[in-house]
Amino acid sequence: MVDCNLLDLAQIGDDQRRSIIEFVRERKGVKPRDLGVTDAYLRMVRLGKARAGDGLLCQALKYVTEDELRLLLKGIVPEAKASLNDAVRVIATARTDPEFREFLLGLIKEYLGDYITTLQQTWHVSEKDIEDFIKAKRLKGVTEKTLRDYVHYLREVLAELDWTLTPDGIREYLSELAEDGEEHVLHHLTTALKSLLKTVLKPRDPALFRALYDVFTVYKPKNNTKPRLPSVEQLRQVWQQLPTIESKFYFALLAETGLRPGEPFLLSVDDLDVEHGMLRVGKVTPTKRAFIAFLRPEFLDWVKQVYLPHREAWVEKMGRAWSASNLFSREIIENAKRKLIPFDQSRLRREIKDTAKQVLGREFELYELRKFFATHMISQGVPESIVNTLQGRAPPSEFRILVEHYWSPRHEELRQWYIKHAPRVCC
């Protein structure tokens, strides 16, 4: 059954309406009385002497599946679209009208259940949460040294994940550390993270606590059985089948630069140097560094022609909605609009993982793209020192050159190695 409330009926022409009615009459055995009309009126509609109105069309659509409608309309199903201002008015009404709110929540559960599940599994950690954690641990008599270690590792993981904890984000970050052989860090970090969840989140939201707490265990050395890395051809197939422009950008960026999965979300549009085809990352934490990343000319052209215009249009549209909602300060809105990837991280991860699973026939983790990049570059004869620098594994002296200088001979050397040997996943 197709819900006509979700369609833009004005875009369904008279011939298409007649074909839908003819289809349910001949293929589904639907009678005029089932459609709420007389035999004579239906005959006039079939002969083109009367127009099939929206009421008749909606009755007929009750007997049609979504796949059948797609075939009848030759693949183009006109979905009804609401403006962002419409969305703000709906929320405002739902907050004050209990009956309207109940109806709205029913629709959201039916049509957006998967997205709500993702939101319900997200914890935006704040500084106050860390302060509450420290106070609770001190009351339990935890030593100051242990507490300092806990907070050190917690701040490290939270900085990497933009202070947002989700099942996918935690799983992929810990998998990346395991891939890098960071066993000591993994043990202390997982211990601290388990303690934070149990101390602060569990009393507030037991369901969310369970969703995050059960994703991982306190790390212990595991066997070395690892999935085979995908090939360039397989990654190209994934890129081509991704459903949105933003997920294509995110996926290609990880595969072609070797950045860590969370790093692109920390960048602003100002970090993209279009002239040199370079991203200025300049991130340093106690255990992680990321200096710069280059873009192939073909990928850069795609970014300029496809992604950036798409991003700009989305940001402008959402900026107006954010302002109209009066829920966010001007500073928060402006910061959001400056992000290189302002889209929801959980959605992009889900789109990539779902598509990759279809192509590879197995579960896929984003950290595999970082390993793929390093393996590909070394197999092409790129010196390991170059690969290490491109992936942020370099000494402080290298960091000063790359971050403190806008452009240098070292930048050009790295760029030449990259342009000649980088994997081509996009475009």
Side-chain angles (χ1 to χ4, degrees):
M1 169 186 163
V2 174
D3 187 348
C4 68
N5 291 317
L6 301 180
L7 301 177
D8 186 354
L9 299 182
Q11 294 190 43
I12 301 180
D14 291 343
D15 290 342
Q16 293 173 320
R17 292 173 181 237
R18 282 195 294 271
S19 69
I20 292 171
I21 291 171
E22 197 68 20
F23 175 80
V24 299
R25 191 184 72 87
E26 293 186 354
R27 299 287 294 277
K28 300 296 180 80
V30 176
K31 305 297 183 183
R33 64 175 177 273
D34 299 323
L35 300 176
V37 296
T38 64
D39 291 351
Y41 180 76
L42 188 62
R43 191 179 305 112
M44 293 176 64
V45 170
R46 293 175 57 209
L47 295 174
K49 295 181 179 180
R51 183 176 186 271
D54 290 350
L56 175 57
L57 178 60
C58 284
Q59 286 297 114
L61 287 173
K62 292 180 179 178
Y63 300 93
V64 178
T65 67
E66 292 183 3
D67 289 340
E68 290 169 341
L69 180 61
R70 193 170 289 107
L71 290 173
L72 289 168
L73 299 182
K74 297 181 169 50
I76 302 175
V77 178
E79 298 178 348
K81 294 185 178 180
S83 70
L84 294 172
N85 288 333
D86 291 335
V88 172
R89 284 196 292 271
V90 166
I91 297 300
T93 304
R95 293 177 65 182
T96 59
D97 187 332
E99 184 177 349
F100 183 88
R101 180 167 60 249
E102 183 177 353
F103 174 73
L104 175 64
L105 292 175
L107 289 178
I108 290 175
K109 182 178 180 181
E110 181 175 356
Y111 295 106
L112 298 175
D114 290 344
Y115 291 93
I116 297 302
T117 299
T118 298
L119 290 175
Q120 290 173 338
Q121 295 182 340
T122 300
W123 182 23
H124 298 286
V125 188
S126 67
E127 281 288 350
K128 185 178 183 304
D129 294 324
I130 300 296
E131 292 172 3
D132 291 343
F133 173 74
I134 294 172
K135 292 176 183 177
K137 284 300 178 183
R138 280 178 176 156
L139 288 174
K140 289 186 177 182
V142 174
T143 66
E144 287 300 315
K145 181 183 182 305
T146 300
L147 194 51
R148 282 196 302 272
D149 289 343
Y150 276 169
V151 173
H152 166 77
Y153 287 109
L154 287 174
R155 290 190 179 281
E156 182 177 315
V157 65
L158 291 172
E160 289 287 341
L161 298 178
D162 200 19
W163 288 71
T164 301
L165 297 181
T166 64
D168 281 348
I170 293 173
R171 186 185 301 111
E172 290 180 358
Y173 178 66
L174 297 181
S175 297
E176 181 192 335
L177 288 178
E179 187 72 25
D180 291 344
E182 302 277 5
E183 295 189 359
H184 175 77
V185 174
L186 262 173
H187 173 73
H188 291 288
L189 192 149
T190 50
T191 302
L193 192 53
K194 284 277 189 184
S195 185
L196 174 69
L197 293 171
K198 194 171 183 179
T199 303
V200 179
L201 184 60
K202 185 178 180 180
R204 298 182 190 171
D205 192 333
L208 177 56
F209 159 76
R210 185 55 60 189
L212 298 177
Y213 191 86
D214 290 348
V215 166
F216 66 101
T217 58
V218 173
Y219 179 80
K220 295 179 181 179
K222 302 177 182 178
N223 60 46
N224 292 322
T225 303
K226 300 175 183 177
R228 183 178 180 180
L229 290 174
S231 65
V232 175
E233 290 71 23
Q234 288 175 318
L235 294 182
R236 287 174 184 160
Q237 291 179 45
V238 174
W239 186 83
Q240 291 167 356
Q241 294 180 33
L242 285 169
T244 59
I245 291 174
E246 54 266 30
S247 61
K248 286 188 172 185
F249 172 70
Y250 180 43
F251 180 78
L253 192 62
L254 295 182
E256 295 197 7
T257 66
L259 287 173
R260 299 176 181 89
E263 287 171 347
F265 293 95
L266 304 177
L267 302 176
S268 75
V269 288
D270 298 326
D271 295 318
L272 175 60
D273 182 349
V274 176
E275 178 185 356
H276 295 100
M278 182 175 70
L279 280 170
R280 299 182 180 279
V281 185
K283 185 191 78 171
V284 179
T285 68
T287 61
K288 302 292 181 185
R289 291 192 181 101
F291 310 137
I292 57 174
F294 297 99
L295 306 183
R296 290 184 305 104
E298 297 85 354
F299 183 30
L300 182 60
D301 288 341
W302 183 88
V303 170
K304 292 190 291 186
Q305 296 169 15
V306 179
Y307 175 70
L308 290 180
H310 170 73
R311 176 200 167 280
E312 184 65 24
W314 187 89
V315 164
E316 286 302 315
K317 181 171 64 175
M318 291 303 299
R320 291 194 295 271
W322 292 332
S323 298
S325 70
N326 293 320
L327 297 176
F328 309 99
S329 68
R330 182 177 182 82
E331 181 181 1
I332 290 176
I333 293 174
E334 290 303 316
N335 287 338
K337 290 170 68 174
R338 298 306 300 168
K339 284 183 174 290
L340 179 63
I341 304 181
F343 306 95
D344 179 63
Q345 183 174 167
S346 297
R347 174 174 64 84
L348 300 191
R349 288 174 180 267
R350 184 174 64 250
E351 289 179 3
I352 290 173
K353 295 180 76 168
D354 290 348
T355 304
K357 185 176 182 179
Q358 294 175 9
V359 173
L360 303 177
R362 65 170 177 83
E363 295 295 333
F364 175 79
E365 300 293 346
L366 292 186
Y367 79 87
E368 293 180 46
L369 296 176
R370 181 170 169 82
K371 181 69 173 177
F372 159 79
F373 175 81
T375 303
H376 173 88
M377 296 292 276
I378 290 175
S379 71
Q380 297 296 307
V382 179
E384 189 171 347
S385 62
I386 298 292
V387 177
N388 285 340
T389 299
L390 289 172
Q391 292 203 302
R393 294 186 291 267
S397 58
E398 187 87 0
F399 168 76
R400 285 194 297 272
I401 293 173
L402 296 175
V403 174
E404 294 178 6
H405 294 79
Y406 182 78
W407 192 256
S408 70
R410 181 58 169 166
H411 285 86
E412 184 59 34
E413 179 189 6
L414 292 170
R415 181 178 179 277
Q416 290 304 318
W417 278 109
Y418 176 83
I419 294 298
K420 186 175 181 180
H421 300 289
R424 181 174 180 173
V425 173
C426 160
C427 328

